Amino acid sequence: MVLLLISGPHAQGTAPTSPLTLITRDGRRPVPTTILNGQEFIALDDLASLFQLTVREDTLAGGVTISYKGRTIVASADQAMASVNGRVVTLPAPVARVGRRLLVPVDFIPRALAPIYDSPIDLRRASRLLIVGTVRVARVAVRLDAVGPPTRAIVEITPALLVSTGYDAGRVLVRIETDALDAAPSPAPAGLIDQIQTGTPATTIAFALNPRSGTPRVSTTTTTESTRVTIEIPLAAQSQKSCNIRKKL
């Protein structure tokens, strides 16, 4: 790797509130990024290490040349753009410098690097994930449709994937056939659900039920785009009987 610094004004960056996480077949690791003028940047030397890139100053083009297996990107030092194998793409900001390091906006990864790379790259900014390679990372959203009783919870999984469900020790377990989860924040537990845990274990969603719960009914439906798991939790028979007695009184 060759990295020569171009001239330009220095900038001071701050760390984002949550780190970017790289997910590959080998596991996951945090990737440091920096906020500059409201934009998120990543250091070119970190990109070079992660993706086996060659980075060098290109004074003729007025920027930086990034190469990978004979394919090249020329990123401008004064314009928010890059040439990707001769095709111009726009970027949120030009190349910047913090101390002695050159940085590019994180959108450089899907817009400029992904087209020349030989493995899929998926940047999910909202969930702070950078997925590289043939890794299945399911998007998962849990919602409560009814507090009840009965309490009804829905698990939406995108794309459509195989799931298995079980009921053990007062918990409903939804296991998803995927490598990792990209899970939206779960709703607060309510009704006959005391706790919702995502990713414990790694690709499982667990619903801890209230002691007053009866045996849950679980159903799964699949479309071409997604899988939906519906969990309906009734009151236990004894609890239901007690409720009926109180109503009569």
Side-chain angles (χ1 to χ4, degrees):
M1 177 184 72
V2 179
L3 177 60
L4 302 177
L5 299 181
I6 61 174
S7 61
H10 288 255
Q12 296 297 321
T14 58
T17 54
S18 59
L20 188 66
T21 299
L22 173 70
I23 297 180
T24 67
R25 281 289 180 191
D26 296 328
R28 58 172 65 207
R29 54 173 285 191
V31 178
T33 59
T34 299
I35 303 297
L36 296 173
N37 300 320
Q39 291 285 346
E40 187 174 11
F41 283 75
I42 186 168
L44 275 174
D45 54 351
D46 285 338
L47 281 183
S49 176
L50 290 172
F51 294 97
Q52 294 77 55
L53 309 176
T54 299
V55 181
R56 62 168 59 89
E57 181 185 11
D58 191 329
T59 54
L60 293 178
V64 180
T65 296
I66 300 100
S67 302
Y68 179 75
K69 295 185 178 181
R71 306 160 196 157
T72 60
I73 304 166
V74 179
S76 175
D78 53 16
Q79 298 183 65
M81 59 184 295
S83 173
V84 182
N85 262 353
R87 182 176 63 88
V88 176
V89 299
T90 60
L91 298 172
V95 176
R97 178 189 287 169
V98 172
R100 293 181 55 82
R101 307 180 79 191
L102 292 178
L103 294 88
V104 291
V106 293
D107 282 338
F108 175 92
I109 300 171
R111 297 186 191 183
L113 179 57
I116 70 167
Y117 204 64
D118 52 9
S119 293
I121 298 176
D122 183 9
L123 174 64
R124 301 184 186 177
R125 295 194 64 167
S127 48
R128 311 294 296 150
L129 297 179
L130 176 59
I131 305 162
V132 179
T134 54
V135 185
R136 294 180 303 172
V137 181
R139 288 184 169 93
V140 177
V142 178
R143 71 176 189 270
L144 294 182
D145 265 11
V147 174
T151 301
R152 185 167 59 252
I154 306 290
V155 182
E156 294 278 0
I157 303 157
T158 308
L161 293 169
L162 291 175
V163 299
S164 59
T165 60
Y167 176 55
D168 179 57
R171 298 196 307 162
V172 176
L173 303 177
V174 179
R175 301 180 182 89
I176 305 168
E177 295 295 322
T178 187
D179 297 311
L181 297 182
D182 175 1
S186 296
L192 296 173
I193 296 176
D194 284 350
Q195 188 179 44
I196 302 172
Q197 289 183 306
T198 300
T200 308
T203 61
T204 298
I205 302 169
F207 297 83
L209 306 188
N210 187 276
R212 298 182 300 124
S213 300
T215 302
R217 294 182 291 271
V218 182
S219 61
T220 302
T221 56
T222 301
T223 68
T224 56
E225 297 179 349
S226 64
T227 298
R228 172 182 292 185
V229 179
T230 302
I231 304 164
E232 188 163 292
I233 306 146
L235 277 171
Q238 188 60 41
S239 297
Q240 183 68 56
K241 183 177 179 180
S242 299
C243 287
N244 292 337
I245 291 174
R246 283 197 295 270
K247 287 179 181 178
K248 290 179 181 179
L249 294 176

